[in-house]
Amino acid sequence: MDIKTLYDANINNITTAKNAFDRLSSAFVQHIESWQHDVVDRLSHSQWTGTASDHAHARIQFLGTELHSAKQELGFVSKALAKAAEQFALAQAHLVYALDDAKTAKLNVAPDGTITWDKEPTSPNYPGAGAETTAIAISNRITAALNEADHADQEISARLNHFAANAGNGMGLDAAMVAKDQAAETAREQIPAKGTDPASVKKWWDGLTGTEQQKFLHDNPDQLGNLDGVPAAVRDQANRLNLTRTQADLQKQLSDLEKSEPLSVTGTPYGATESPDHIVWKAQRDALQDKLKGLKALQDRLDLPVTEKDPRPFLLGLDAAAPGGRAILALNDPDTADHVATFVPGTESRLGGVGGTMDKAKEMYRSTMLASPGGKVSTIAYVNYTAPQSARPGFPQVVPDAAYEGYAKDAEQNLYDFQTGLRATHQGSPSHNTIIGHSYGTTVVGYAMRDKGLPVDSVVFAGSPGVGVDKASDLNTDLAKGTKMDPSKVYAVLGGGDSITDWTPDPFSPGNYNPFGDDYHLRFGRDPMNPAFGAQHLPSQDSDHDHYWNAKTPSWMAFGQVIAGKPVS
């Protein structure tokens, strides 16, 4: 599609064709009604019986099914033509507005889209010092309009060719084919259910016209923004809308709750104490405040000016209603990046603490850019599962809930869908994908790789209590195909100041009580740092459990090298 073709296109011709088809369809329906009255109804009330009558009735019933099928197919063609007129008119309008704005800004647009302008400041046609910035913006709008028309052209052509083929080979009279076409038309009007295969979601999205896509984006941002298989740029738009609405909703909930604070003190035989109602109220208030804190952290990150150090963020997921709240934020677009890393945090991760997770993702972005200067990098803060939260009194760093595998098992499907979705929506050559787990997050990653298989090229376990398998070679990248993870691309790191292995031993492993044994097992399997596990060890010096991401440290440098697919020095 070029500028002249779209600009000169007479969209009314499509509408004229659509109206003509509607007249044909109406006439066809009238013929069916006449046939029903003159043939079917009269025959059914006749006294004709016998073998010939049975054959005639069967043939007439079959013919009735064919006529009904043909009527439906004509309706599909009419709807496709209406969508074509709507979509081409929208793309043409976008182009015309862009060209008009270029003219107003004293910019010249050539037929091939090249934009030039008078660079002499004293000339009456001089557009001003900001001409280049304006030209880039208008050029992007022109390209978007042409792409919009191209997409509509391909989609509408495919649909009309399909219906034409059905008419030519007789399949348009087949009830099963018509039912399939009806299902396809219905699917266009419904968002796929969460959990639908991301490749199928991507196919559904690509099959929509631009108008249909914009309608879903406006009407259902909460569903679209969390659907794996929808392009990252679209999810970002949807979740930014959802973020604004969610902030307003939670703030209203908090305001309403604060107006109904119960009595804080109640009397008991042993003296005054906090009332049970107030304890519940305070927990609800604290949860709302915590989620609003996380939403503000997300909004602040989204509002940062885009620089080399602060790349454009993409909000790929948001669910404040989930326990603790959930969010996924990427730095740079993973769909166009060469190197993509997903960071899965551990215990006590939640929406309210998303700021710290985003900071770690940012440090990995910086270290990867250092390892691969000029490369296209996207790092993702994945706060998208219900993590263990409650701390044991007196042991603030030990979380009893983290002793249970249920949190990891519950997180498997979402993590699998997200990683599969990254592959489905990626543009161009496949990216080098890495997944990094920290603390209990390593258990989440390990379980998902064991039970689902994650389509990644490398994996890092930092400060791990075990990952569900005893050998790196037991991790899967594609369970259906039986594809195993290359152990040389499995990395583990444990700082000298990280006592995770002291907190999470497996009490049933004899090696843990043998001072001379070297097969040390943790709560969720063999220690990934154990030589028998088979992972490659990353440098860490004396890092404690939470500071592997400190800038310029050995582990910080190593993370960037792994994500960039480079040898670790």
Side-chain angles (χ1 to χ4, degrees), residues 250-263 278 281-282 284-285 288-289:
L250 291 188
Q251 189 60 59
K252 183 178 185 305
Q253 290 182 42
L254 180 61
S255 298
D256 290 344
L257 185 69
E258 289 176 335
K259 294 174 184 176
S260 59
E261 180 178 1
L263 291 174
H278 194 267
W281 176 89
K282 188 166 65 175
Q284 294 173 335
R285 180 203 63 187
L288 287 171
Q289 289 178 337

Side-chain angles (χ1 to χ4, degrees), residues 100-177:
D100 285 348
D101 288 346
K103 185 176 181 180
T104 301
K106 300 180 179 179
L107 301 175
N108 306 309
V109 181
D112 64 356
T114 302
I115 298 179
T116 58
W117 59 91
D118 192 335
K119 295 181 172 59
E120 175 53 52
T122 60
S123 171
N125 293 320
Y126 180 59
E132 184 173 0
T133 300
T134 304
I136 291 173
I138 290 177
S139 178
N140 289 338
R141 289 168 58 191
I142 292 172
T143 300
L146 296 178
N147 288 341
E148 188 177 2
D150 268 331
H151 180 268
D153 187 36
Q154 294 170 16
E155 173 58 25
I156 297 300
S157 293
R159 292 172 70 186
L160 292 178
N161 286 337
H162 170 74
F163 296 133
N166 282 357
N169 58 27
M171 292 303 295
L173 302 177
D174 181 74
M177 173 58 74

Side-chain angles (χ1 to χ4, degrees), residues 437-474:
H438 175 228
S439 191
Y440 193 87
T442 67
T443 308
V444 171
V445 172
Y447 271 53
M449 295 191 75
R450 181 193 68 186
D451 299 336
K452 301 289 183 181
L454 298 181
V456 296
D457 302 291
S458 55
V459 58
V460 178
F461 299 123
S464 177
V467 300
V469 297
D470 282 348
K471 294 184 297 180
S473 57
D474 289 335

